[in-house]
Amino acid sequence: MKALGMTFDYRKIFREIADDTTDMNDLGHVADYIPELKHINPEKFGVHLTTLDNHHYDFGDASEKFSIQSIAKVFSLILAFKNEGVSIWNRVGVEPSGSPFNSLVQLEYEKGIPRNPFINAGALVVSDILISYLENPKEEFLSFVRLLANSNEINYNKSVAESEKSTGERNSALVHFMKSFGNIENDPDQVLDFYFYLCSVEMNCIELSRAFLFLANRGTDPLTNNKILTPSKAKRVNAIMQMCGFYDEAGDFAFKVGLPGKSGVGGGIAAVLPGEYSIAVWSPRLNSKGNSYKGMKFLEKFTTKTNSSIF
């Protein structure tokens, strides 16, 4: 946690860290295996921090939209958890995978039950749950994200969704494989379509930071007093982010950064310090694990400079 009584000039700290990480500007690669994402400018960098008492601090390209990709899996998990309750854990686990996010091998060994909701298989099961509960899944999911971010300017990027669909053979294999184990209840094509669209949601760092703020406040939006989750459920979502939010680099993020968070291959990272703030960082170049190269380094330096960590 942040040392008691300490206040920071966050914008000054952002500038200092950005200067320190200039030599990282050319490291990593954009997610070119998704055709639409390979066109993004790899030099983009933005950050936005929102405090529980409604102070905002930004830097760089914080207001520019980008594809949040797997960060959206946090929102889909929350919405499914609200509807399904604790029985959701009968269909998806809460353990780190230790395997690539699109692995089939582990899924076979564990009889169609994904390790956690943030690997692709787990997010597909969560998508299946939402389709069972929601009358208009795409519309209702988007409305939920807009509610969390307090913004009606959030939309799907159809081109990104269709691009992912055109290269989604492994995701198709995952959902059909789980169907064979009885862990997919709806039509696999419908599940895949919804999954590709939820990953295509576009937000900026300002909206993303705002959308995660309730997770820093025991499940209640501190700016609207809207109760999104119970404190108990919020605690569990934060725990899953801490353990599983960064593919098979979650342990490294916990070790170096010390915040619950979630990354996406669009280059975004969202994280929270419970009781203090939420923060979103965007830098499109990815490391070998699929996480933002500069974003990971930035957050490591940020929590070190501010002495802010859950540990």
Side-chain angles (χ1 to χ4, degrees):
M1 295 292 289
K2 185 177 76 174
L4 291 176
M6 294 186 69
T7 59
F8 298 103
D9 183 345
Y10 286 120
R11 287 193 182 90
K12 181 175 182 288
I13 293 171
F14 294 162
R15 288 193 298 271
E16 290 172 351
I17 299 175
D19 289 341
D20 288 345
T21 55
T22 299
D23 60 343
M24 299 176 190
N25 287 346
D26 296 326
L27 297 175
H29 304 277
V30 297
D32 55 5
Y33 63 91
I34 299 174
E36 278 296 313
L37 295 188
K38 69 181 180 182
H39 302 304
I40 193 70
N41 181 350
E43 309 305 326
K44 293 292 185 179
F45 179 79
V47 58
H48 188 93
L49 182 146
T50 309
T51 65
L52 295 190
D53 55 355
N54 202 23
H55 288 90
H56 298 261
Y57 306 89
D58 61 1
F59 180 85
D61 303 304
S63 62
E64 184 166 336
K65 302 268 190 181
F66 61 92
S67 179
I68 69 169
Q69 291 291 309
S70 287
I71 299 174
K73 294 173 183 176
V74 177
F75 304 140
S76 60
L77 170 63
I78 291 164
L79 191 54
F81 200 7
K82 284 170 66 70
N83 282 279
E84 181 82 353
V86 295
S87 62
I88 190 174
W89 311 124
N90 295 326
R91 297 183 58 187
V92 60
V94 296
E95 295 289 342
S97 67
S99 300
F101 58 83
N102 56 1
S103 173
L104 278 158
V105 177
Q106 192 173 62
L107 197 58
E108 180 174 18
Y109 179 75
E110 297 180 347
K111 300 183 177 5
I113 305 296
R115 274 290 180 99
N116 65 70
F118 296 153
I119 57 175
N120 290 18
L124 286 163
V125 169
V126 170
S127 296
D128 182 58
I129 290 170
L130 287 176
I131 288 171
S132 295
Y133 276 100
L134 306 180
E135 186 174 344
N136 298 295
K138 290 179 188 175
E139 292 83 356
E140 292 178 57
F141 176 73
L142 189 61
S143 294
F144 181 63
V145 176
R146 288 173 170 175
L147 171 70
L148 296 180
N150 194 33
S151 170
N152 289 322
E153 303 302 316
I154 297 168
N155 291 289
Y156 298 113
N157 184 320
K158 185 176 180 180
S159 296
V160 171
E162 294 301 320
S163 179
E164 294 200 51
K165 190 179 297 186
S166 70
T167 57
E169 289 84 3
R170 183 170 284 267
N171 286 315
S172 180
L174 287 168
V175 76
H176 282 91
F177 194 52
M178 290 187 292
K179 181 82 170 177
S180 73
F181 281 101
N183 201 20
I184 295 293
E185 298 176 354
N186 295 283
D187 176 66
D189 289 338
Q190 186 183 8
V191 175
L192 285 164
D193 181 67
F194 176 59
Y195 171 76
F196 290 135
Y197 268 84
L198 77 86
C199 288
S200 80
V201 168
E202 287 190 324
M203 300 174 73
N204 58 36
C205 290
I206 301 167
E207 294 162 337
L208 197 53
S209 175
R210 178 68 178 83
F212 270 72
L213 193 60
F214 78 98
L215 288 172
N217 193 47
R218 296 172 54 83
T220 296
D221 185 331
L223 308 186
T224 64
N225 207 35
N226 186 11
K227 297 184 187 304
I228 308 297
L229 289 176
T230 66
S232 176
K233 287 182 177 179
K235 177 183 74 174
R236 282 156 176 75
V237 171
N238 280 341
I240 297 169
M241 289 199 298
Q242 184 72 62
M243 296 185 296
C244 311
F246 293 83
Y247 311 120
D248 49 348
E249 199 176 11
D252 199 54
F253 188 82
F255 182 73
K256 293 178 177 177
V257 179
L259 300 178
K262 183 71 189 83
S263 65
V265 297
I269 297 174
V272 299
L273 177 61
E276 294 285 345
Y277 63 71
S278 59
I279 187 169
V281 181
W282 174 47
S283 180
R285 293 183 189 271
L286 308 179
N287 63 21
S288 61
K289 303 293 188 180
N291 297 308
S292 172
Y293 194 103
K294 189 172 180 178
M296 297 278 282
K297 299 294 185 182
F298 180 93
L299 286 170
E300 178 184 353
K301 288 177 178 291
F302 176 74
T303 56
T304 298
K305 275 181 175 287
T306 59
N307 192 31
S308 56
S309 165
I310 66 169
F311 301 112

